[in-house]
């Protein structure tokens, strides 16, 4: 196991950073979202939340999300266990496992996590999987994770590392469900506009590990779940589809989601859900089930982690930061209009905060796709919609930039994390890069990616090693106290 500093692992490299950061407001918008991503990296999260004193492991300053206890610390005497096993899944699971390895070292007997962003480890096997739709590779990796978990005995401790993306990566189909059934159902749900809570209610009832079933496999071992949340509200039953948490949803709830969004499913899926709703298939374990005796799940990072870091960057530059919400949801293009309107109000009237200011938000916006959608993701669509709205604000909108990214570095199924725009990107004047008609057509066709790519507005980071969902910064320029800097643009900036 390497003792090298892990700071390099946390850094985010933005392609063509110099081109993006062409003026103070654009630079700050980019710096805010980059700082948020880096703050949520597992290397720093583990340093902040976990401590080892001899054989005593403590998890400090986070809530036990399964029991809602606000204990200052949870403590585990590792010497009291025969074995410490590490399992998990998610976009950041490899980095998470590496950070836990650096802390616990030889105290880990064995481990296995599934991820699409592999890193080198010694004791925890980092297994391949695919996101956002499951694959045969991921199914085999999930089987290995479940088998190791089920091998735990009463005198063992299982440490479960859960991060965003775990639902797709920990793909263990329930009896009677094939991989193609899972893929088809997942793709239809992702295109439907359903929320992640709704999507995961269906996923949990088609899985051998989700919805508390991994905790059941681990029993009677003690289980410490550590979660980096990518879901609005940080509900452990939703993060990675809650493999270690009681499930409040039912087969009937899963059917209701499919009905609500008009999602057609393969015959095997329909049959299983109908049989479950009729009581012919066992429900996922709920609160009070013996499977959760000795199980604790703690949220060690979330969108708030990223927002706090972004806020600190804004304040250090002399801008007044305001967190609008960590729970933004709904259609991406509609949420963008609200953000643009608040930015315009800030610039015009000094409400809810006077410029220079940075408006921050997080959460998960969605896109309801039509029959023949184009290319893009929710953050790209958010950014393009904001650009189209800011164009209409005239002089009141001068000096406004918007960065919107998915913190895992992957917006939808694209190679971009999101986009960075300003109020001159879209319009009919000579300074505009994109016409209003082109922006409107791309939004209607859910085809924002090619247009933003042609305008050099896409933000590309590659995999970031974390996932706390979407992060946005709306920077409203103005003179910074004690500085000559302002939100005015340099020549030649798009």
């Amino acid at each position: 196991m390497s003792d090298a500093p892990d700071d390099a692992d946390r850094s985010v490299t933005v392609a063509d950073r110099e081109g993006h950061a062409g003026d103070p407001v654009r630079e700050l918008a980019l710096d805010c979202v980059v700082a948020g991503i880096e703050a949520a990296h597992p290397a720093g999260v583990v340093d902040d939340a976990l401590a080892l004193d001899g054989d005593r492991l403590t998890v400090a300053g986070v809530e036990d999300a399964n029991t809602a206890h606000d204990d200052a610390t949870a403590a585990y005497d590792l010497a009291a266990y025969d074995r410490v096993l590490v399992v998990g899944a998610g976009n950041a699971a490899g980095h998470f496992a590496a950070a836990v390895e650096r802390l616990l070292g030889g105290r880990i007997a064995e481990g296995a996590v599934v991820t699409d962003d592999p890193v080198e480890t010694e004791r925890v096997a980092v297994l391949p999987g695919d996101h956002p739709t499951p694959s045969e590779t991921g199914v085999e990796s999930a089987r290995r994770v479940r088998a190791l978990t089920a091998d735990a005995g009463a005198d063992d401790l299982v440490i479960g590392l859960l991060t965003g993306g775990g639902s797709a990566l920990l793909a263990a189909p329930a009896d009677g469900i094939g991989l193609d059934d899972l893929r088809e159902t997942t793709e239809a749900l992702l295109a439907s506009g359903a929320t992640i809570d709704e999507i995961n209610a269906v996923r949990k009832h088609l899985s051998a590990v989700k919805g508390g079933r991994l905790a059941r496999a681990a029993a009677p071992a003690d289980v410490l779940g550590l979660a980096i949340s990518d879901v609005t509200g940080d509900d452990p039953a939703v993060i990675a589809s809650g493999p270690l948490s009681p499930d409040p949803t039912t087969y009937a709830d899963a059917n209701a989601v499919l009905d609500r969004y008009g999602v057609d499913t393969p015959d095997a899926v329909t049959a299983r859900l109908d049989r479950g709703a009729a009581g012919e298939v066992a429900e996922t374990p709920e609160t009070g089930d013996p499977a959760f005796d000795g199980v604790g799940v703690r949220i060690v990072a979330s969108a708030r982690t990223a927002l706090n870091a972004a806020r600190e960057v804004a304040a250090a530059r002399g801008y007044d930061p305001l967190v609008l919400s960590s729970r933004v949801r709904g259609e991406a293009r509609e949420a963008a209009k609200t953000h643009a309107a608040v930015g315009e109000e800030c610039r015009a009237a000094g409400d809810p905060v006077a410029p220079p200011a940075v408006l921050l938000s997080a959460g998960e916006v969605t896109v309801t796709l039509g029959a023949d959608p184009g290319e893009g993701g929710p953050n790209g669509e958010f950014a393009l919609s904001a650009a189209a709205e800011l164009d209409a604000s005239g002089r009141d909108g001068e000096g406004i930039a918007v960065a919107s990214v998915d913190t895992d570095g992957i917006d939808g199924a694209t190679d971009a994390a999101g986009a960075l725009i300003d109020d001159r990107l879209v319009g009919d004047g000579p300074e505009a890069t994109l016409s209003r008609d082109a922006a409107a057509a791309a939004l209607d066709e859910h085809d924002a990616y090619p247009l933003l790519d042609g305008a050099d507005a896409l933000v590309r980071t590659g995999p970031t090693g974390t996932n706390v969902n979407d992060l946005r910064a709306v920077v409203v320029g103005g003179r910074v106290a004690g500085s000559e800097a302002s939100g005015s643009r340099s020549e030649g900036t798009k």
Side-chain angles (χ1 to χ4, degrees):
M1 182 173 57
S2 173
D3 292 323
D6 54 355
D7 287 349
D9 296 338
R10 311 180 203 183
S11 63
V12 173
T13 301
V14 177
D16 191 26
R17 184 186 183 92
E18 184 176 347
H20 282 303
D23 64 39
V25 293
R26 292 172 61 89
E27 181 179 27
L28 181 54
L30 187 61
D31 288 348
C32 283
V33 295
V34 167
I37 294 170
E38 291 177 345
H41 193 283
V45 169
V46 168
D47 285 348
D48 291 340
L50 276 66
L52 188 65
D53 183 5
D55 288 317
R56 181 181 172 84
L57 174 67
T58 57
V59 185
V62 288
E63 179 181 296
D64 185 328
N66 269 5
T67 64
H69 292 325
D70 279 323
D71 300 332
T73 61
Y76 294 81
D77 180 5
L78 301 185
Y81 294 100
D82 287 347
R83 295 184 301 167
V84 175
L85 306 176
V86 175
V87 299
N91 302 121
H95 293 272
F96 210 169
V100 170
E101 266 197 3
R102 282 190 286 270
L103 179 66
L104 300 185
R107 295 173 180 83
I108 298 173
E110 193 176 353
V113 299
V114 188
T115 187
D116 56 349
D117 184 12
V119 297
E120 290 188 8
T121 52
E122 290 191 1
R123 294 183 173 273
V124 180
V126 177
L127 307 175
D130 290 281
H131 180 269
T133 53
S135 66
E136 187 59 54
T137 299
V139 169
E140 179 55 36
S141 296
R143 288 191 184 115
R144 289 182 59 182
V145 168
R146 189 190 184 284
L148 179 59
T149 305
D151 187 55
D155 296 321
D156 294 334
L157 173 66
V158 176
I159 299 178
L161 309 178
L162 305 175
T163 80
S167 292
L169 289 159
L170 196 64
D175 289 343
I177 302 296
L179 173 61
D180 289 343
D181 300 323
L182 278 186
R183 288 181 61 89
E184 183 178 336
T185 303
T186 300
E187 289 168 356
L189 284 166
L190 292 174
S192 72
T195 67
I196 194 62
D197 304 54
E198 293 170 322
I199 291 170
N200 287 356
V202 178
R203 285 166 155 167
K204 286 187 279 190
H205 290 87
L206 303 176
S207 171
V209 293
K210 297 176 175 65
R213 288 192 169 105
L214 193 65
R216 179 171 281 170
D222 283 349
V223 178
L224 168 61
L226 303 174
I228 296 177
S229 173
D230 71 325
V231 303
T232 300
D234 303 331
D235 185 348
V238 180
I239 302 166
S241 294
L244 299 177
S245 296
D247 182 21
T249 70
T250 64
Y251 284 100
D253 292 329
N255 270 331
V257 170
L258 299 176
D259 291 343
R260 187 175 307 131
Y261 293 94
V263 175
D264 293 325
T265 57
D267 290 344
V269 170
T270 302
R272 178 177 175 83
L273 295 181
D274 286 346
R275 289 177 57 227
E280 299 172 13
V281 179
E283 264 294 354
T284 48
E286 59 184 0
T287 299
D289 191 292
F292 303 110
D293 293 347
V295 177
V297 177
R298 299 220 159 206
I299 310 297
V300 293
S302 68
R304 274 284 167 188
T305 308
L307 286 169
N308 289 340
R311 178 162 47 191
E312 289 177 5
V313 168
R317 302 279 178 88
Y319 285 67
D320 197 353
L322 177 65
V323 174
L324 298 176
S325 177
S326 65
R327 300 167 180 248
V328 173
R329 50 199 183 271
E331 286 290 318
R333 65 190 296 179
E334 299 304 319
K337 293 176 183 178
T338 301
H339 282 66
V342 176
E344 292 165 2
E345 191 72 12
C346 172
R347 181 67 171 169
D351 286 326
V353 61
V358 180
L359 309 171
L360 300 165
S361 75
E364 182 170 36
V365 294
T366 54
V367 176
T368 303
L369 300 176
D372 188 23
E375 186 178 8
N379 286 282
E381 186 151 321
F382 180 102
L384 184 58
S385 178
E389 291 299 308
L390 289 171
D391 167 70
S393 68
R395 292 187 60 83
D396 287 343
E398 285 186 18
I400 298 180
V402 179
S404 181
V405 299
D406 194 320
T407 53
D408 67 358
I410 305 168
D411 185 28
T414 73
D415 65 350
L420 170 61
I421 62 89
D422 61 34
D423 50 23
R424 295 201 307 179
L425 181 68
V426 175
D428 295 324
E431 291 185 335
T433 304
L434 303 174
S435 72
R436 294 182 185 179
D437 288 345
L443 289 167
D444 288 342
E445 296 166 6
H446 305 298
D447 197 30
Y449 180 98
L451 204 64
L452 292 169
D453 195 20
D456 298 325
L458 291 176
V459 174
R460 292 184 171 92
T461 63
T464 63
T466 192
N467 186 352
V468 290
N469 224 319
D470 301 336
L471 180 63
R472 291 166 287 272
V474 180
V475 180
V476 184
R479 187 166 299 280
V480 178
S483 171
E484 294 300 314
S486 74
S488 62
R489 291 177 174 75
S490 57
E491 291 296 322
T493 301
K494 289 183 177 177

